[in-house]
Amino acid sequence: MNSKQEKLEAFGRLLDIMDDLREQCPWDRKQTLQTLRHLTLEEVYELSDALLEEDLQEIKKELGDVLLHLVFYAKIGSEKKAFDMADVINSLNEKLIFRHPHIYGDVKVQDEEEVKQNWEKLKLKEGNSSVLSGVSKGTPSMVKAFRIQEKVKGIGFEFHDAEDAWKKVDEELAEFHAETDLEKKEQELGDVFFSLINYARISGINPDSALEKTNNKFISRFQIMEKLARKKNLSLSDMNLEEMDLLWEEAKKI
């Protein structure tokens, strides 16, 4: 692997390239914080795909794309005389040191859970008015629920174990089935989802990863179904559910 000096040189070269692009490339010159925003989200989702697949070469590529965006934002920040990449990194360094007193101070911790609890308490000392103030409004709903639950756990607001969490799932399911008003039923369904996510989290399962793997599995099987139908000179749209179920079972075996 590369030495620390080689890593620093590579990062310096990236900063130089960013300067060149911003000065000389018509597309790069035109970009703003807002025009880059949706592209950044797209790159992060592509990185997420690579991480789920554990494709190391693709992860390396996508990390580069995300890093480019971070450097781009810092470049725009320097043009606005607001901050540059050194400010970004120094701010991060100081935050990491402050939030790891068990490494850089005299605080003693027993395990990972104590580290998380200290992290949330230190964030409040930094001026956050709420434990949940760091949860982004734009975060997808399932990920947001997971983060909310993790954060309140940091101050002890947590079920004793997964069994207790599942009792809450049963309770919410019963309330969902008992409700007849559509608007209220929607609210109850949200409670069911939130409780299921909480149960998964306490059980050590990332619900977002679990659902995404199921999405990918369904896509793969359904596309096999389509291929099987074409081989049989059939069209799925002309088949009834029972006929499609037979193809689905065949696809599962494949």
Side-chain angles (χ1 to χ4, degrees):
M1 301 303 289
N2 294 295
S3 67
K4 184 175 181 179
Q5 183 58 38
E6 288 170 328
K7 294 172 186 175
L8 292 172
E9 289 174 359
F11 189 64
R13 185 181 178 208
L14 173 59
L15 295 177
D16 291 339
I17 292 172
M18 185 74 256
D19 289 342
D20 292 340
L21 296 179
R22 192 65 171 167
E23 291 176 12
Q24 302 175 36
C25 176
W27 187 88
D28 288 283
R29 282 203 308 266
K30 187 178 178 182
Q31 300 313 305
T32 67
L33 297 175
Q34 296 306 317
T35 61
L36 285 172
R37 177 180 171 276
H38 74 281
L39 298 175
T40 305
L41 293 174
E42 182 180 327
E43 296 296 353
V44 171
Y45 279 121
E46 289 177 1
L47 172 60
S48 175
D49 289 343
L51 291 169
L52 283 173
E53 295 293 329
E54 294 194 23
D55 185 334
L56 294 180
Q57 290 305 307
E58 193 65 18
I59 290 172
K60 179 184 75 172
K61 170 181 171 294
E62 298 302 340
L63 281 173
D65 291 341
V66 172
L67 179 58
L68 171 62
H69 281 245
L70 301 183
V71 171
F72 213 144
Y73 288 124
K75 176 63 177 176
I76 294 174
S78 68
E79 293 168 355
K80 294 178 178 292
K81 309 298 183 185
F83 59 85
D84 61 18
M85 182 53 73
D87 295 319
V88 172
I89 295 173
N90 285 330
S91 176
L92 173 61
N93 290 341
E94 293 304 318
K95 181 171 70 175
L96 290 174
I97 290 170
F98 178 73
R99 293 189 185 175
H100 290 80
H102 53 290
I103 303 295
Y104 300 102
D106 55 5
V107 173
K108 303 296 182 183
V109 294
Q110 298 296 322
D111 52 30
E112 174 193 0
E113 289 308 315
E114 282 195 28
V115 172
K116 290 181 179 178
Q117 289 172 13
N118 285 339
W119 181 277
E120 295 303 334
K121 291 174 184 176
L122 288 167
K123 287 178 70 175
L124 289 175
K125 288 185 179 180
E126 290 174 342
N128 291 317
S129 60
S130 168
V131 171
L132 299 177
S133 60
V135 179
S136 169
K137 294 179 181 177
T139 304
S141 298
M142 181 176 289
V143 178
K144 183 186 291 186
F146 190 91
R147 292 294 294 133
I148 288 170
Q149 294 162 4
E150 276 197 322
K151 285 180 174 293
V152 298
K153 176 188 177 183
I155 59 165
F157 193 67
E158 174 81 320
F159 285 109
H160 291 297
D161 52 35
E163 184 178 351
D164 280 351
W166 186 256
K167 290 176 183 177
K168 186 63 174 176
V169 174
D170 284 336
E171 176 187 322
E172 297 297 352
L173 275 170
E175 292 178 4
F176 170 73
H177 287 301
E179 187 56 65
T180 56
D181 179 81
L182 186 59
E183 185 174 341
K184 292 180 179 179
K185 201 171 185 69
E186 179 188 55
Q187 294 174 11
E188 296 298 344
L189 183 60
D191 292 344
V192 171
F193 289 153
F194 193 87
S195 299
L196 275 171
I197 292 166
N198 205 28
Y199 170 76
R201 180 185 59 80
I202 294 172
S203 300
I205 299 169
N206 186 302
D208 185 67
S209 297
L211 181 57
E212 186 59 17
K213 288 174 182 177
T214 294
N215 288 339
N216 291 334
K217 180 172 64 176
F218 184 92
I219 289 170
S220 175
R221 287 180 180 173
F222 193 85
Q223 289 175 339
I224 292 173
M225 272 182 64
E226 292 174 317
K227 290 179 181 178
L228 290 172
R230 284 194 292 270
K231 285 182 180 180
K232 300 174 185 290
N233 294 317
L234 299 171
S235 172
L236 292 180
S237 59
D238 295 330
M239 300 171 66
N240 60 38
L241 182 58
E242 289 73 19
E243 291 169 332
M244 285 191 282
D245 274 341
L246 291 175
L247 280 183
W248 178 260
E249 292 302 320
E250 191 174 345
K252 283 174 64 176
K253 294 176 182 178
I254 295 174

